[in-house]
Amino acid sequence: DAKTTQPPSMDCAEGRAANLPCNHSTISGNEYVYWYRQIHSQGPQYIIHGLKNNETNEMASLIITEDRKSSTLILPHATLRDTAVYYCIVRVGGKLIFGQGTELSVKP
Amino acid sequence: GAVVSQHPSRVICKSGTSVKIECRSLDFQATTMFWYRQFPKKSLMLMATSNEGSKATYEQGVEKDKFLINHASLTLSTLTVTSAHPEDSSFYICSALLRDRERNTIYFGEGSWLTVV
């Protein structure tokens, strides 16, 4: 079973920051948090991952709480192309077990 | 990011036949690859972990004799659906593990649509 819980859906206005939360209260000390997104009928796209420090790349920022029980993916300036299902995944035993994700709708 | 390619992207086969899907890591070597299937409006379900040079490890409930996985090289894993039935129709997706010291990243292919008629 997936070790994460996410809201099923969120809306965001185009040009604004999209903040996607994720709870992973049972995460262990050496387990990484990964974020992917999937646009309809395509394979998941890697976004970012981290262990305990905040991470930033050209796509997004990942903020992990100090106790590591939750994290937030931030898309700083959402565009219509960012509409997708976003998956927060704790990698356990080397495997990515997907939960239901958050369906993000970016609206004009 | 690294590139993982699947072929074919779409395939239609007759009931009772077998169909092979290929997964290639194009710009890195992957000792470990994963196979998933996804039904419409559902999340991805892990089927098996494929390790180069050894037998695949299947998730509970996945028939290893029906879904044959071969990982004969560091850049290629194949999934063969044997004696296909219409209920095997699904979106099959592979992924490959890129090892980079401690920051291991898993990249996914574009997926393969299988329709069994």
Side-chain angles (χ1 to χ4, degrees):
Chain A
D1 290 343
K3 294 181 72 169
T4 60
T5 55
Q6 300 176 252
S9 64
M10 289 182 62
D11 289 342
C12 177
E14 186 179 18
R16 304 297 293 267
N19 298 286
L20 292 92
C22 178
N23 287 325
H24 32 79
S25 58
T26 61
I27 194 171
S28 297
N30 61 347
E31 292 172 346
Y32 280 74
V33 179
Y34 288 75
W35 282 84
Y36 291 83
R37 70 181 183 186
Q38 186 178 29
I39 297 170
H40 182 61
S41 298
Q42 298 181 21
Q45 178 188 20
Y46 168 78
I47 301 174
I48 200 166
H49 73 286
L51 182 62
K52 54 185 176 181
N53 297 322
N54 297 337
E55 302 281 347
T56 296
N57 63 20
E58 65 278 4
M59 288 184 69
S61 295
L62 173 61
I63 308 299
I64 303 174
T65 58
E66 192 168 344
D67 63 8
R68 302 211 323 121
K69 293 186 177 182
S70 65
S71 61
T72 301
L73 179 75
I74 301 172
L75 307 179
H77 305 288
T79 71
L80 299 179
R81 293 184 180 182
D82 292 323
T83 292
V85 178
Y86 287 75
Y87 294 99
C88 166
I89 307 168
V90 172
R91 186 165 172 232
V92 179
K95 300 183 286 190
L96 295 177
I97 305 298
F98 283 71
Q100 297 307 307
T102 295
E103 188 166 4
L104 175 68
S105 296
V106 180
K107 300 183 183 299
Chain B
V3 179
V4 177
S5 179
Q6 283 183 240
H7 178 81
S9 58
R10 291 182 179 273
V11 58
I12 300 172
C13 72
K14 293 184 178 180
S15 290
T17 63
S18 297
V19 60
K20 181 186 288 186
I21 300 170
E22 295 185 345
C23 178
R24 295 181 184 273
S25 55
L26 296 186
D27 51 0
F28 66 100
Q29 293 182 332
T31 55
T32 304
M33 293 184 174
F34 305 89
W35 287 95
Y36 294 79
R37 68 186 299 184
Q38 185 176 31
F39 292 108
K41 299 187 184 299
K42 299 293 186 181
S43 187
L44 283 76
M45 183 189 78
L46 179 64
M47 299 175 66
T49 301
S50 169
N51 295 297
E52 187 266 338
S54 64
K55 292 183 178 181
T57 303
Y58 290 82
E59 295 298 303
Q60 190 173 9
V62 179
E63 299 177 61
K64 62 180 181 180
D65 294 330
K66 180 166 184 63
F67 299 101
L68 300 179
I69 292 172
N70 185 281
H71 193 158
S73 80
L74 288 173
T75 59
L76 173 64
S77 176
T78 61
L79 168 68
T80 301
V81 182
T82 63
S83 186
H85 290 147
E87 55 264 34
D88 297 326
S89 299
S90 187
F91 190 46
Y92 291 88
I93 311 167
C94 75
S95 63
L97 172 63
L98 171 59
R99 297 185 188 277
D100 182 13
R101 298 181 182 179
E102 295 180 356
R103 287 193 60 78
N104 298 325
T105 306
I106 296 176
Y107 293 96
F108 284 80
E110 318 96 317
S112 299
W113 284 100
L114 170 63
T115 302
V116 184
V117 297

